[in-house]
Amino acid sequence: MEYLPDLADQTRLFLLALGFGFALGILYDFFRMLRLLFSRKGGWLPAQDILYALCCTLLSFFFFLAVSDGSLRGFGVAGEILGWLIYYFSLGAVTVRLTEWVVRRMKRFAEGLRRAFSPIQRLLRRIFTPVRRKSAKSVHIFKKNLHFRLQKTQGLLYNGKGKH
């Protein structure tokens, strides 16, 4: 293990970290696409940010473990941050627009499917609504008859008001 790597090793680590930061930017766009798809769920957003931070931390740990024998160098971290920023402000800006377009198309397609299957959904509601009402009525009758207690008589159980 070297304590002071030479200039070639430092340059190699910096360029690899630059590429790794670029890859972390791609991972961020994946999380951003999930955010656009599930934007109605309010509790998902902070959890997604925490999950992204944990993924980046874990992946960076393994990156530095593999590339620089586990030694964390400032120029390596700076390379990661710079690679992420390069992706975010160059290719990331394009992928945001593309992702928003794809998500809008996916939502329109899902809405079209919902509209196409709405007659079937209404038919199923008409079929199963009487069954639901009948089962609710039987539950009401069951609750009404709950005041009868089960009693033991010579090893047998029965439901009755009086004793046999």
Side-chain angles (χ1 to χ4, degrees), residues 13-46:
L13 175 62
F14 180 76
L15 292 176
L16 286 173
L18 199 69
F20 186 70
F22 198 84
L24 289 178
I26 294 171
L27 180 67
Y28 181 74
D29 270 347
F30 174 74
F31 276 90
R32 191 178 350 197
M33 183 178 65
L34 291 177
R35 177 175 288 180
L36 287 173
L37 279 172
F38 304 109
S39 62
R40 293 183 199 164
K41 310 221 185 315
W44 168 249
L45 299 179

Side-chain angles (χ1 to χ4, degrees), residues 139-150:
V139 167
H140 176 70
I141 292 170
F142 176 75
K143 285 182 179 180
K144 192 170 97 174
N145 293 331
L146 270 179
H147 67 278
F148 298 119
R149 302 277 184 230
L150 295 176

Side-chain angles (χ1 to χ4, degrees), residues 39-111:
S39 62
R40 293 183 199 164
K41 310 221 185 315
W44 168 249
L45 299 179
Q48 182 185 12
D49 291 339
I50 291 169
L51 184 63
Y52 175 71
L54 289 174
C55 285
C56 286
T57 303
L58 187 67
L59 291 172
S60 294
F61 170 75
F62 287 127
F63 171 76
F64 282 109
L65 193 63
V67 173
S68 66
D69 295 327
S71 62
L72 184 65
R73 304 278 181 191
F75 56 85
V77 174
E80 266 189 48
I81 293 170
L82 186 61
W84 190 90
L85 288 173
I86 288 172
Y87 174 80
Y88 185 78
F89 289 113
S90 62
L91 192 58
V94 174
T95 58
V96 167
R97 290 188 190 108
L98 181 67
T99 303
E100 288 174 348
W101 181 80
V102 168
V103 167
R104 275 195 312 269
R105 296 287 180 198
M106 288 173 64
K107 286 184 177 182
R108 276 191 203 147
F109 179 73
E111 181 63 26

